[in-house]
Amino acid sequence: MAKTIYVLNGPNLNLLGTREPDIYGHHTLADVEKLCRDTAARFGLTAECRQTNREGELVDFIHEARDKKVAGIVINAGAYSHTSIAIHDALVGVQIPAVEVHVSNVYARERFRHQSFIAKAAFATLSGFGIEGYGLAITGLASKIGAAAKS
Ligand code: DQA
C-alpha cells in the first residue's frame, strides 16, 4: 500500500494567489496541493493536503498523522511558525520526520520572521523557493523515508 504523507498549511495560506503576490507569487493553494500530489506520486507516495487558519487544528492534524501512521509531514505553519510552541511540541511528540516550508525567504524579511519554532522540530527547512519549495521538500522527505523515484 502507498505510504501517505501529510502536507499541512496554516493561516492565510488559503489566500495564496491573491495575498501580497509580490511576496508570495500568483499560484493558489490548489496549485500547491496539485504540485504536492504530483511530486509525491513520483515517489509512490500519497500526499494528503490540509489547510486551516487555527493553531489547535494544526496540532490535531499532527496527532492524526501519528494515528494514521503517516510517513512524513511537510508543514508551512504560516505566522504560527514564529510563535507556536504548541505546534513545535506536537511535531516533537509524534516523532514523524517533518520538513518546514516557507514560500517566501523569511530570513530576508522582518526580524520577527527570523525565529521559527517549527524549524527546531523539523529535519530541514526550505524558505524562498516560492511554491516549488513544497516539491523540493517532498523530494527531500522521500529520500529521508526511503521512498525511491518511480521510473
Ligand atoms: C510564510 C511566511 C510567514 O512569515 C508568514 O506569516 C506566512 C507565510 C511563507 O510561506 O512564506 O503566512 O510561512
Side-chain angles (χ1 to χ4, degrees):
M1 209 177 72
K3 284 184 181 168
T4 298
I5 61 168
Y6 270 14
V7 177
L8 303 180
N9 279 294
N12 300 306
L13 290 157
N14 53 315
L15 299 182
L16 278 178
T18 56
R19 170 194 189 197
E20 298 178 274
D22 46 319
I23 295 175
Y24 297 111
H26 293 279
H27 291 288
T28 64
L29 182 63
D31 296 331
V32 168
E33 294 183 344
K34 181 178 181 333
L35 171 70
C36 289
R37 283 192 298 270
D38 291 350
T39 307
R42 294 214 320 260
F43 296 95
L45 299 167
T46 301
E48 264 200 41
C49 303
R50 307 276 168 82
Q51 189 273 332
T52 177
N53 293 320
R54 283 172 285 281
E55 182 178 15
E57 200 168 8
L58 277 172
V59 170
D60 288 342
F61 289 155
I62 293 164
H63 294 177
E64 182 190 293
R66 181 175 63 180
D67 296 343
K68 298 214 169 141
K69 301 192 174 11
V70 158
I73 295 174
V74 171
I75 181 164
N76 182 350
Y80 290 138
S81 312
H82 316 301
T83 61
S84 181
I85 298 170
I87 297 171
H88 166 277
D89 286 356
L91 288 168
V92 171
V94 299
Q95 296 209 303
I96 297 171
V99 187
E100 175 187 40
V101 173
H102 297 286
V103 176
S104 65
N105 179 359
V106 289
Y107 300 101
R109 300 181 63 195
E110 303 94 326
R111 183 176 283 275
F112 61 80
R113 297 184 203 276
H114 296 182
Q115 142 141 318
S116 168
F117 287 100
I118 310 307
K120 294 172 180 58
F123 75 84
T125 295
L126 285 146
S127 179
F129 285 103
I131 72 160
E132 191 51 42
Y134 290 87
L136 296 169
I138 289 172
T139 302
L141 181 59
S143 165
K144 182 84 173 173
I145 64 178
K150 305 276 162 204
S151 50

